[in-house]
C-alpha cells in the first residue's frame, strides 16, 4: 500500500507541475497576473493515529498511538503553490458586484508534511492487531503530503482592503509505518475534503501587507475535515519578489467508520510557527 501511495504522490507532483504550466499558458493568453510561492515552516503536531487491523474490534487501542508517545511531534513542512488572478482586460473592464470590483483567483498548492523518529513505548500498545510491550523501541514514520485547489472571488474594497470567498478541494496522502523489534504496523490511504476558502487582506503602505487565510472543509460522508487559520505579514522587496512570514494553525480529522466497525481514525492538530515563504510575480 505504501508503494501505491508513493506512486500516486509522484503522479500528484507531476499533476502540480502540469497545472502550473497550464496556469502560465492561461495567464499569458488572458493577460492575467500570476505568482509562484515556495516556503517552509516548523511544524508541531498533536493528536493520534488510530490503526486497527481490517476494522476488527479490539485490534487497536482507542485514540492511540499519539504523536507524543512516538516522538512524532515535529518534522518538516514545505510547500509550492501557484496563483492566478484574472482582473479583466483594460479594453473590457473589470467585473463589479454592487459597485465593488471583483476578480477571480485560482490557487494550486502542493505540500510535503512528515516526520520520522525513534521512541521507547512507556506502556503496552495494541495496534494493527498486535500488542507491543512497554519498553519496546520503535521507529515510526508518518507523512501527510497534500494537493489543494481553490477558486475564489476577490472583492476589492475601499481603503486598500480586500476580501475573498470561494470553494476548494483537498487531497491528502496519509502514510504511516511503525517498526519494533518483533512487530510492525503500517497504513496508507488518501483522504479527500471539500468546502469553503476565504481571506482578508489590508495594504499597510511602504510595501507592507497584512493577510488572513481561512479554510473550512467540514466532514461529509466518506471525506475528511480540515479547518485552518493563517495570519500572514508580507513585505514587498521589489516589483517581482515578496517575502512572507506566517503562523499557520489547522486541524485535520478523518475516520472510515462508514465502512468498518473499528475505524482507522486520524486526529491531527498542527501548528506551523513560524513559516517563511518567497513569492515571485512573473
Amino acid at each position: 500500500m505504501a508503494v501505491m501511495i508513493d506512486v500516486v504522490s509522484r503522479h500528484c507532483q507531476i499533476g502540480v507541475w502540469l497545472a502550473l504550466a497550464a496556469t502560465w499558458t492561461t495567464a499569458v493568453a488572458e493577460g492575467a497576473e500570476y505568482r509562484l510561492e515556495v516556503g517552509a515552516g516548523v511544524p508541531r503536531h498533536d493528536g493520534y493515529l488510530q490503526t486497527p487491523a481490517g476494522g476488527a474490534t479490539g485490534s487497536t487501542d482507542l485514540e492511540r498511538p499519539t504523536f507524543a508517545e512516538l516522538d512524532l511531534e515535529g518534522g518538516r513542512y514545505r510547500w509550492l503553490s501557484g496563483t492566478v488572478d484574472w482582473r479583466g482586460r483594460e479594453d473590457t473592464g473589470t467585473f463589479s458586484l454592487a459597485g465593488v470590483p471583483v476578480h477571480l483567483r485560482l490557487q494550486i498548492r502542493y505540500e510535503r508534511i512528515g516526520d520520522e523518529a525513534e521512541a521507547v513505548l512507556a506502556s503496552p500498545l495494541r495496534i494493527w492487531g498486535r500488542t507491543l510491550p512497554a519498553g519496546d523501541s520503535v521507529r515510526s514514520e508518518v507523512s501527510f503530503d497534500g494537493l489543494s485547489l481553490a477558486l475564489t472571488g476577490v472583492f476589492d474594497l475601499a481603503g486598500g482592503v480586500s476580501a475573498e470567498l470561494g470553494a476548494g478541494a483537498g487531497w491528502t496522502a496519509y502514510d504511516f509505518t511503525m517498526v519494533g523489534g518483533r512487530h510492525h504496523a503500517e497504513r496508507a490511504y488518501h483522504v479527500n475534503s471539500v468546502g469553503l476558502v476565504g481571506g482578508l487582506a489590508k495594504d499597510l503602505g511602504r510595501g507592507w501587507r497584512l493577510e488572513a487565510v481561512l479554510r473550512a472543509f467540514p466532514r461529509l460522508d466518506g471525506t475528511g475535515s480540515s479547518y485552518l487559520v493563517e495570519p500572514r505579514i508580507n513585505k514587498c522587496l521589489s516589483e517581482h519578489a515578496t517575502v512572507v512570514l506566517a503562523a499557520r494553525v489547522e486541524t485535520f480529522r478523518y475516520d472510515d467508520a462508514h465502512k468498518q466497525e473499528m475505524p482507522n481514525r486520524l486526529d491531527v492538530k498542527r501548528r506551523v510557527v513560524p513559516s517563511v515563504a518567497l513569492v515571485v510575480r512573473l
Side-chain angles (χ1 to χ4, degrees):
M1 182 70 76
V3 173
M4 182 187 73
I5 292 294
D6 286 341
V7 171
V8 175
S9 180
R10 287 194 295 270
H11 288 170
C12 178
Q13 295 180 53
I14 294 172
V16 171
W17 286 110
L18 290 176
L20 290 176
T23 294
W24 163 275
T25 302
T26 303
V28 172
E30 299 297 330
E33 300 175 7
Y34 58 99
R35 301 182 299 277
L36 295 178
E37 178 176 311
V38 59
V42 180
R44 182 72 177 177
H45 290 94
D46 189 19
Y48 58 84
L49 310 169
Q50 181 175 302
T51 308
T57 301
S59 63
T60 180
D61 287 339
L62 298 180
E63 301 184 359
R64 290 184 70 200
T66 66
F67 286 95
E69 66 184 316
L70 299 182
D71 199 23
L72 292 174
E73 298 170 285
R76 63 185 183 275
Y77 189 104
R78 302 186 295 270
W79 73 90
L80 171 68
S81 70
T83 303
V84 182
D85 285 89
W86 286 278
R87 295 184 179 275
R89 298 179 178 178
E90 295 182 0
D91 58 343
T92 59
T94 302
F95 177 73
S96 64
L97 183 64
V100 178
V102 182
H103 69 270
L104 289 178
R105 173 173 294 164
L106 173 68
Q107 183 181 75
I108 302 168
R109 179 182 173 110
Y110 175 68
E111 301 175 333
R112 288 188 61 84
I113 307 169
D115 194 13
E116 55 185 88
E118 294 185 1
V120 176
L121 296 177
S123 60
L125 174 64
R126 183 71 174 167
I127 182 172
W128 210 44
R130 300 163 181 171
T131 299
L132 283 67
D136 241 21
S137 178
V138 296
R139 179 168 185 81
S140 307
E141 184 173 358
V142 66
S143 64
F144 300 91
D145 295 350
L147 175 69
S148 62
L149 178 69
L151 180 63
T152 59
V154 182
F155 298 80
D156 298 316
L157 307 174
V161 177
S162 65
E164 64 177 299
L165 181 65
W171 177 92
T172 301
Y174 168 67
D175 198 338
F176 170 63
T177 303
M178 188 179 71
V179 179
R182 295 174 296 277
H183 306 284
H184 80 279
E186 61 183 55
R187 185 67 79 235
Y189 49 85
H190 67 270
V191 179
N192 299 315
S193 54
V194 294
L196 298 175
V197 294
L200 294 169
K202 166 68 175 177
D203 287 324
L204 304 177
R206 298 182 179 274
W208 291 93
R209 180 179 175 88
L210 184 64
E211 299 177 342
V213 179
L214 308 171
R215 181 174 71 203
F217 289 1
R219 178 184 174 182
L220 304 174
D221 186 25
T223 71
S225 67
S226 176
Y227 296 91
L228 175 149
V229 177
E230 183 182 53
R232 297 160 55 103
I233 183 72
N234 300 0
K235 173 58 177 175
C236 184
L237 303 178
S238 69
E239 181 181 356
H240 298 287
T242 299
V243 66
V244 181
L245 182 65
R248 188 179 183 94
V249 179
E250 60 184 310
T251 64
F252 173 68
R253 295 185 176 94
Y254 173 74
D255 70 59
D256 53 8
H258 60 287
K259 64 180 182 180
Q260 58 187 38
E261 186 173 356
M262 177 59 69
N264 290 281
R265 179 164 287 152
L266 307 179
D267 189 312
V268 183
K269 303 173 185 68
R270 180 181 301 124
R271 302 184 300 277
V272 186
V273 184
S275 70
V276 180
L278 177 66
V279 180
V280 179
R281 179 178 284 106
L282 302 176

